[in-house]
Every structure is written in C-alpha cells, then in structure tokens.
Amino acid sequence: MVGPKQTAATDRRDRFIPIRKSDVLDAVISHGGLEDALAADLRQLAHMLGAILHHEYFDELDRLRDVYFDFDPEVPTSRHRSAQELDTAYCNLTDEFVRVLGEANFIEISHDEIERAFAEHALVRVKLRAPVSDFRAVRMFRRGTHQETIEVPMLYGLRRRKQEIEVYDDIILMVATKPDEPSQKKRKTAAWRGRNKIRGGAVLFKYFRHIARFDLEALLPNVRVVMGLREQLTLGVPALVGGVPILLKLASTLTVLFIVAGFYLGLSGTVHDNDTEQALAALSGLFALGAFILRQWGNFHRQSLIHQKQVTDNIYFRNVNNNSGIFNYLIGEAEDQDWKEAMLAYGGLLLASVPLSRAALCSHVEELLQQMFGLSRAFNVEEALIRLREFGLVTGGDDALSALPLREAIAQLDRVWASALRA
C-alpha cells in the first residue's frame, strides 16, 4: 500500500519535479560520472523500482474509483445507504483523494488565500458571485507557480497597463454538494438530468491548467456574472436621462388617458376632441416608454452575456479533465513523483563518498536539481527516505545514511517484487 505523504511544504518553494524520469536518471549518472557497468546496473534498478511502484499505484487507482462510486455526479444513486454510511464513505473519499494529491506534490490552498483571491480579479475583468455556502465543502489544490505579465485595459480600452500576476500551473478543485433532504430524494433521476443540475451529495473534481491566482473564484460551478458599479452606471445613467423626460411628459396626459378610456368603457360622461388627441399622445408615450425599458433590459443582458463569454473564454478552455477522469492522471503523477524522489535520494547516497545526514542529502539533491536543470525546489527528503527504507535500499540512521550497493539493491528489489506478486 502506498504510504501517506505530507502535503505541507517546508518552505515557499514547490516540491513538484517537472522533469522526465529519463532525464532524472541521466542526470544522476552524468553527475556521478558512473562507468558503463554501474550505469547499466543503476538503470536496471530504476526500471525495477518503477515496476514495483506501478504495481502499488494500480491498486491505489482501484481504491480511489471504488470510494468515489457513491459520489460520482454521473452515476445516479442506485443503492440505499444510511446517512452515517455516506458520511463515513465521504470521509474515506476525501482522505484518499487528498493523500494521492500529496503524493503528486500538490499543496492545498488555504481558505485565507482563497478569500483574498476572491476579492480581486486579474484576467477575468468582471465581477463574479459564487456563494460558497451553497456547497458542503470547497477545496483547492495547486502545484507549480510562475509569474506572468499581462496587459489590463483601462478607460474602456483606450489605455492599457502592464500587471504582473501569479499563475498556478495546475489546479485541482474539489466541490462537494450538500446531501438532499429526505423529501428531495424521491425525485426521479431523469428530473435532475433534464435540469442539468448536480444531484445532492455528489462530489465534483475538476482539473485546470494555468489559472491566475486572482481568478480562482471563476472556477466554481455556480459562479455568476453580476454587474459592477461601473457597468450599472454605464447602463443606468442613460436610462435615467432618457426615461425621465418621457415620464414627465406622460404625467400631464395620463389623467386624460384614463378619462377617455372610461368614456369608451361607459364609466364616464363626455370627452372633448382635444382629450382624445391627448389620450392618443399619452398612449404613444406609454409605448415609447415600454420600448425604452425593453431596450435597456436587452442592453443589460447583452452586457451580461459579453462578461459571461469572457469568463468562459478564460476558464472553459483551461479545463483539462473532470471527476473520475482525473484519477488516472493523478495516480500517474503520484507514481512519477514518487519514483523521482526515491531515485534522486538513492542516487545522492550512492554517489556520496561518506554517509550523509538527512539534511545533507536534502541539500545535495536540491543542488543537483539547481545545477542540472536550473530548478529551485524543496526536496521531499522525508518521503524519499520512507520509500527507500520500505524497500530496504538504505542503511543507517538519519545522521549517517548510506545506499545499499547496486548489486545488493537489485537483489533486494527482486525480493520485494516477488513478495508483491504473492500478496
């Protein structure tokens, strides 16, 4: 079984290693100047380690799919489970999913950071409203960050200013809907599918790439575009200027309109010729006022659609995968990161002339990543050593760590592989 992994970073640097496995192996061999025979042995060990990890993570994928079954929004509830059973299953799902995210070197975004991001907008230059209280839980996880410089329009597009923003390379969104009330559970499956709504008690997973930190709010499924103060003034001031004269003109003729209408309905006595003319003018004014209101209403909704399209263009095309489709990617990433950490740690100990302490090994690997790839990363030495000790590839305590010699390490992995197949 795949061991748990800490999700909290030791510093602000990312733990994600965005390098191909083959490049990691080549870097260790090149950095150590290994002879061909030793390099071949190290490649064999790396291949065996990858096979063992792949076997373990295959079981992990099955467990993740199994615990998600009752919460998949694409699967209607088909088996009756008590509220307590569902709560237990929900806790198992979140624990399993968060653990896999940690193994893939994702870091959870704190609620304070999310709230600060909701208060500002960078790429999506519209006002959004997303009531988080509508959901049972909303959690976001990030991996990899970089800085980008964008141009932000000002003065209705007449001027543009440059702004530097923080962009997350990968974002995983987890949204759990509130369970339905007992009276709501009797609704037919076709009803919620026909309304295109998420059934109560479901859990949504969404994977996005290259999302600005200030645009996290736009990722939520119930986000709505609302008019900001500027848009309200843009539409409201012309409406006020154009509508007031019409209302003032109608105020003096509405009484005559009611008198004429009462005459034709038999409710009043007589009317004069000029009363009929004023009534027709008042009626024309009412039609003009109605047309004006409809035009302003159309302008409001047209502006809302323009803003909604802006959100869609920026977010929709950055959505990579959803729900159970994410699991294959996450399991593959967790397996990939686990292998890289274990190989870097083993290679660092193998190439060292003397036993290394935990801190010295961490510094050695971080220096290797910086020299060979120009990466500033916080190496996850704790989890790497847990994995190496699990497979018996390292000896000594934290103050004097040594790698098992290559030939002995290969024989040890042979025994681990045989044991895994018998399990």
Side-chain angles (χ1 to χ4, degrees):
M1 174 143 181
V2 180
K5 188 169 240 181
Q6 298 175 356
T7 58
T10 56
D11 54 34
R12 290 290 299 173
R13 293 177 299 164
D14 209 308
R15 290 184 171 185
F16 174 50
I17 306 174
I19 312 167
R20 294 184 305 176
K21 293 166 67 175
S22 58
D23 292 336
V24 169
L25 187 56
D26 290 342
V28 173
I29 294 173
S30 174
H31 185 72
L34 298 180
E35 298 178 354
D36 291 344
L38 290 177
D41 287 344
L42 185 61
R43 292 185 186 278
Q44 181 182 355
L45 182 139
H47 179 75
M48 296 176 66
L49 178 62
I52 295 171
L53 290 176
H54 186 71
H55 177 76
E56 290 190 0
Y57 277 101
F58 179 82
D59 294 337
E60 181 79 22
L61 179 60
D62 282 344
R63 285 193 295 273
L64 197 55
R65 287 172 173 168
D66 183 62
V67 296
Y68 185 56
F69 181 80
D70 288 314
F71 305 95
D72 191 339
E74 300 300 324
V75 178
T77 53
S78 57
R79 53 177 178 172
H80 176 73
R81 304 189 70 179
S82 65
Q84 183 176 0
E85 290 175 329
L86 286 175
D87 285 341
T88 301
Y90 174 75
C91 292
N92 291 337
L93 170 63
T94 55
D95 291 344
E96 194 82 8
F97 188 72
V98 171
R99 184 169 59 80
V100 171
L101 285 173
E103 290 164 354
N105 281 329
F106 278 83
I107 300 172
E108 184 165 7
I109 304 175
S110 66
H111 287 288
D112 291 340
E113 188 175 354
I114 292 175
E115 290 179 359
R116 288 196 303 270
F118 281 10
E120 303 179 45
H121 302 286
L123 296 180
V124 181
R125 305 296 297 175
V126 296
K127 187 176 179 61
L128 303 176
R129 178 174 298 166
V132 179
S133 59
D134 290 352
F135 299 108
R136 179 179 185 176
V138 175
R139 302 175 72 175
M140 295 182 180
F141 305 82
R142 64 173 177 85
R143 189 180 70 175
T145 62
H146 66 275
Q147 299 291 321
E148 286 188 9
T149 301
I150 63 171
E151 290 188 348
V152 180
M154 299 177 61
L155 299 177
Y156 302 95
L158 297 178
R159 294 182 56 188
R160 307 180 76 87
R161 65 178 175 88
K162 292 185 177 181
Q163 178 180 350
E164 188 168 316
I165 60 173
E166 182 181 10
V167 178
Y168 297 136
D169 296 334
D170 298 280
I171 287 286
I172 298 291
L173 172 67
M174 174 183 171
V175 176
T177 61
K178 295 179 179 179
D180 287 332
E181 297 296 329
S183 59
Q184 295 175 319
K185 293 182 179 179
K186 298 180 181 179
R187 297 178 180 176
K188 296 181 179 180
T189 301
W192 63 265
R193 283 188 179 272
R195 290 193 301 270
N196 195 27
K197 290 184 178 180
I198 307 166
R199 66 175 175 85
V203 178
L204 284 76
F205 297 116
K206 290 183 174 292
Y207 167 41
F208 299 91
R209 283 190 61 79
H210 301 302
I211 298 297
R213 184 177 68 87
F214 297 140
D215 291 337
L216 293 178
E217 188 177 17
L219 305 182
L220 297 180
N222 67 338
V223 65
R224 293 186 296 109
V225 175
V226 295
M227 289 295 177
L229 180 60
R230 187 181 67 178
E231 289 81 6
Q232 292 175 4
L233 292 176
T234 301
L235 295 176
V237 171
L240 186 63
V241 173
V244 168
I246 297 177
L247 291 174
L248 292 176
K249 186 176 180 180
L250 285 176
S252 60
T253 57
L254 283 178
T255 304
V256 179
L257 178 61
F258 289 137
I259 293 174
V260 173
F263 171 76
Y264 284 104
L265 293 175
L267 300 177
S268 61
T270 59
V271 295
H272 301 90
D273 292 339
N274 62 336
D275 291 341
T276 303
E277 294 175 359
Q278 293 182 21
L280 291 174
L283 193 60
S284 300
L286 285 176
F287 279 115
L289 180 61
F292 180 80
I293 293 174
L294 288 175
R295 184 169 67 251
Q296 291 302 114
W297 181 83
N299 289 338
F300 176 84
H301 284 275
R302 176 178 173 275
Q303 193 69 24
S304 296
L305 289 175
I306 292 175
H307 289 175
Q308 190 66 50
K309 183 179 183 300
Q310 185 179 356
V311 174
T312 301
D313 289 345
N314 187 64
I315 300 302
Y316 177 81
F317 296 104
R318 300 175 188 269
N319 182 213
V320 179
N321 213 327
N322 300 293
N323 301 329
S324 59
I326 294 179
F327 297 158
N328 287 316
Y329 167 78
L330 286 181
I331 290 296
E333 284 295 295
E335 176 187 331
D336 189 70
Q337 295 294 307
D338 203 353
W339 183 93
K340 293 173 186 176
E341 291 168 356
M343 279 305 305
L344 285 169
Y346 179 81
L349 294 174
L350 181 69
L351 301 178
S353 57
V354 295
L356 299 178
S357 67
R358 178 191 295 257
L361 174 61
C362 182
S363 299
H364 178 75
V365 174
E366 290 177 358
E367 182 180 354
L368 172 66
L369 292 174
Q370 182 67 49
Q371 289 181 355
M372 302 297 292
F373 304 102
L375 291 174
S376 176
R377 289 293 186 270
F379 181 63
N380 197 352
V381 65
E382 294 85 1
E383 294 301 327
L385 290 177
I386 288 175
R387 179 60 77 185
L388 292 180
R389 285 194 170 106
E390 177 186 349
F391 294 151
L393 300 181
V394 65
T395 60
D398 287 347
D399 294 332
L401 297 164
S402 298
L404 203 66
L406 274 172
R407 281 296 175 183
E408 295 180 28
I410 291 173
Q412 173 63 20
L413 287 185
D414 268 330
R415 291 189 287 271
V416 172
W417 178 246
S419 176
L421 292 180
R422 288 194 301 267

